[in-house]
Short mmCIF file of all heavy atoms in Angstrom, two decimals:
data_model
loop_
_atom_site.label_atom_id
_atom_site.label_comp_id
_atom_site.label_asym_id
_atom_site.label_seq_id
_atom_site.Cartn_x
_atom_site.Cartn_y
_atom_site.Cartn_z
N SER A 43 -15.82 11.85 8.86
CA SER A 43 -16.36 11.54 10.19
C SER A 43 -16.24 10.06 10.50
O SER A 43 -16.06 9.23 9.59
CB SER A 43 -17.82 12.00 10.33
OG SER A 43 -18.73 11.01 9.90
N LEU A 54 -17.28 -5.12 25.80
CA LEU A 54 -15.83 -4.84 25.85
C LEU A 54 -15.10 -5.68 26.88
O LEU A 54 -14.03 -6.22 26.62
CB LEU A 54 -15.60 -3.38 26.22
CG LEU A 54 -15.69 -2.31 25.13
CD1 LEU A 54 -15.53 -0.94 25.76
CD2 LEU A 54 -14.62 -2.52 24.07
N VAL A 104 -15.05 3.54 30.68
CA VAL A 104 -14.98 3.43 29.22
C VAL A 104 -15.38 4.77 28.58
O VAL A 104 -14.66 5.30 27.72
CB VAL A 104 -15.92 2.31 28.70
CG1 VAL A 104 -16.04 2.34 27.18
CG2 VAL A 104 -15.43 0.95 29.18
N PHE A 108 -13.08 7.43 26.20
CA PHE A 108 -13.50 7.90 24.87
C PHE A 108 -13.55 9.43 24.84
O PHE A 108 -13.12 10.06 23.87
CB PHE A 108 -14.86 7.31 24.49
CG PHE A 108 -14.79 5.89 23.97
CD1 PHE A 108 -15.62 4.90 24.45
CD2 PHE A 108 -13.90 5.55 22.96
CE1 PHE A 108 -15.57 3.60 23.96
CE2 PHE A 108 -13.82 4.25 22.46
CZ PHE A 108 -14.67 3.28 22.96
N GLY A 112 -11.28 12.46 22.72
CA GLY A 112 -11.88 13.49 21.86
C GLY A 112 -13.14 13.04 21.15
O GLY A 112 -13.66 13.74 20.27
N CYS A 117 -23.39 8.43 22.38
CA CYS A 117 -23.93 7.11 22.77
C CYS A 117 -25.22 6.79 22.01
O CYS A 117 -26.27 6.52 22.62
CB CYS A 117 -24.15 7.04 24.28
SG CYS A 117 -22.62 7.16 25.20
N CYS A 124 -27.77 13.52 15.48
CA CYS A 124 -27.04 14.20 16.56
C CYS A 124 -25.79 14.92 16.07
O CYS A 124 -24.76 14.89 16.75
CB CYS A 124 -26.63 13.21 17.64
SG CYS A 124 -27.97 12.26 18.30
N PRO A 128 -23.19 13.13 7.52
CA PRO A 128 -22.32 13.35 6.35
C PRO A 128 -23.13 13.83 5.15
O PRO A 128 -24.36 13.72 5.13
CB PRO A 128 -21.73 11.96 6.09
CG PRO A 128 -22.39 11.01 7.01
CD PRO A 128 -23.36 11.73 7.87
N ALA A 137 -18.67 2.44 12.19
CA ALA A 137 -19.04 1.12 12.68
C ALA A 137 -20.52 1.21 13.06
O ALA A 137 -21.07 2.31 13.03
CB ALA A 137 -18.19 0.75 13.89
N ALA A 151 -23.45 8.63 1.48
CA ALA A 151 -22.04 8.75 1.88
C ALA A 151 -21.37 7.40 1.59
O ALA A 151 -22.04 6.46 1.15
CB ALA A 151 -21.94 9.11 3.35
N ASN A 154 -17.28 1.54 4.55
CA ASN A 154 -17.36 0.10 4.77
C ASN A 154 -17.96 -0.13 6.15
O ASN A 154 -18.13 0.81 6.93
CB ASN A 154 -15.96 -0.52 4.66
CG ASN A 154 -15.49 -0.50 3.23
OD1 ASN A 154 -16.23 -0.86 2.31
ND2 ASN A 154 -14.26 -0.06 3.01
N ASN A 172 -8.71 2.65 1.16
CA ASN A 172 -9.62 2.89 0.03
C ASN A 172 -9.98 1.56 -0.65
O ASN A 172 -9.33 1.15 -1.60
CB ASN A 172 -8.92 3.83 -0.96
CG ASN A 172 -9.87 4.36 -2.02
OD1 ASN A 172 -11.06 4.48 -1.76
ND2 ASN A 172 -9.34 4.67 -3.19
N ASP A 192 -47.07 -3.22 -1.09
CA ASP A 192 -46.68 -1.91 -0.61
C ASP A 192 -47.09 -1.74 0.85
O ASP A 192 -47.98 -2.40 1.35
CB ASP A 192 -47.29 -0.80 -1.46
CG ASP A 192 -46.38 0.43 -1.44
OD1 ASP A 192 -45.46 0.45 -0.60
OD2 ASP A 192 -46.60 1.33 -2.24
N THR A 221 -23.07 -11.73 -1.58
CA THR A 221 -24.27 -10.90 -1.38
C THR A 221 -24.33 -9.67 -2.28
O THR A 221 -23.58 -8.71 -2.07
CB THR A 221 -24.34 -10.43 0.09
OG1 THR A 221 -24.10 -11.55 0.92
CG2 THR A 221 -25.70 -9.85 0.41
N ALA A 251 -24.68 -3.68 3.63
CA ALA A 251 -24.24 -2.35 4.05
C ALA A 251 -24.66 -1.30 3.04
O ALA A 251 -24.40 -0.11 3.24
CB ALA A 251 -22.72 -2.34 4.21
N ILE A 258 -36.49 6.64 -3.93
CA ILE A 258 -36.36 7.01 -2.52
C ILE A 258 -34.91 7.32 -2.12
O ILE A 258 -34.64 8.36 -1.54
CB ILE A 258 -36.98 5.92 -1.62
CG1 ILE A 258 -38.51 5.94 -1.83
CG2 ILE A 258 -36.65 6.16 -0.15
CD1 ILE A 258 -39.26 4.85 -1.20
N GLN A 264 -28.23 6.16 -10.53
CA GLN A 264 -26.92 6.46 -11.13
C GLN A 264 -26.26 5.27 -11.81
O GLN A 264 -25.18 5.39 -12.36
CB GLN A 264 -26.00 7.04 -10.05
CG GLN A 264 -26.52 8.37 -9.55
CD GLN A 264 -25.47 9.14 -8.78
OE1 GLN A 264 -24.35 8.70 -8.63
NE2 GLN A 264 -25.85 10.31 -8.30
N SER A 291 -49.00 -12.65 23.70
CA SER A 291 -49.03 -11.33 24.35
C SER A 291 -49.13 -11.46 25.87
O SER A 291 -48.60 -10.65 26.61
CB SER A 291 -50.21 -10.52 23.83
OG SER A 291 -49.92 -10.07 22.52
N ILE A 346 -44.26 11.12 29.09
CA ILE A 346 -43.87 9.70 29.02
C ILE A 346 -43.50 9.19 30.42
O ILE A 346 -43.97 8.14 30.86
CB ILE A 346 -42.71 9.52 28.02
CG1 ILE A 346 -43.22 9.77 26.59
CG2 ILE A 346 -42.10 8.12 28.13
CD1 ILE A 346 -42.14 9.89 25.53
N SER A 349 -46.26 8.56 32.82
CA SER A 349 -47.04 7.34 32.60
C SER A 349 -46.39 6.11 33.26
O SER A 349 -46.97 5.04 33.31
CB SER A 349 -47.17 7.06 31.10
OG SER A 349 -45.95 6.50 30.62
N SER A 375 -39.18 -3.69 16.39
CA SER A 375 -37.88 -3.77 15.72
C SER A 375 -37.49 -5.22 15.39
O SER A 375 -37.31 -6.04 16.30
CB SER A 375 -36.80 -3.16 16.63
OG SER A 375 -35.52 -3.50 16.16
N ALA A 378 -34.11 -5.91 16.97
CA ALA A 378 -34.18 -6.17 18.42
C ALA A 378 -34.66 -7.59 18.69
O ALA A 378 -34.18 -8.24 19.62
CB ALA A 378 -35.08 -5.14 19.09
N TYR A 381 -31.69 -10.09 18.39
CA TYR A 381 -30.75 -10.12 19.52
C TYR A 381 -31.43 -10.50 20.83
O TYR A 381 -30.80 -11.12 21.70
CB TYR A 381 -30.03 -8.77 19.65
CG TYR A 381 -28.99 -8.62 18.56
CD1 TYR A 381 -29.24 -7.85 17.43
CD2 TYR A 381 -27.78 -9.30 18.64
CE1 TYR A 381 -28.30 -7.73 16.42
CE2 TYR A 381 -26.83 -9.20 17.63
CZ TYR A 381 -27.09 -8.41 16.52
OH TYR A 381 -26.16 -8.31 15.52
N ASP A 405 -52.87 -5.02 31.15
CA ASP A 405 -52.45 -5.79 32.35
C ASP A 405 -51.69 -7.04 31.93
O ASP A 405 -52.00 -7.61 30.91
CB ASP A 405 -53.65 -6.20 33.17
CG ASP A 405 -54.12 -5.03 34.01
OD1 ASP A 405 -53.26 -4.32 34.54
OD2 ASP A 405 -55.35 -4.83 34.08
#
Side-chain angles (χ1 to χ4, degrees):
S43 88
L54 278 176
V104 171
F108 280 131
C117 296
C124 305
N154 290 314
N172 192 28
D192 209 348
T221 313
I258 291 172
Q264 296 195 1
S291 286
I346 291 169
S349 77
S375 166
Y381 285 101
D405 280 320

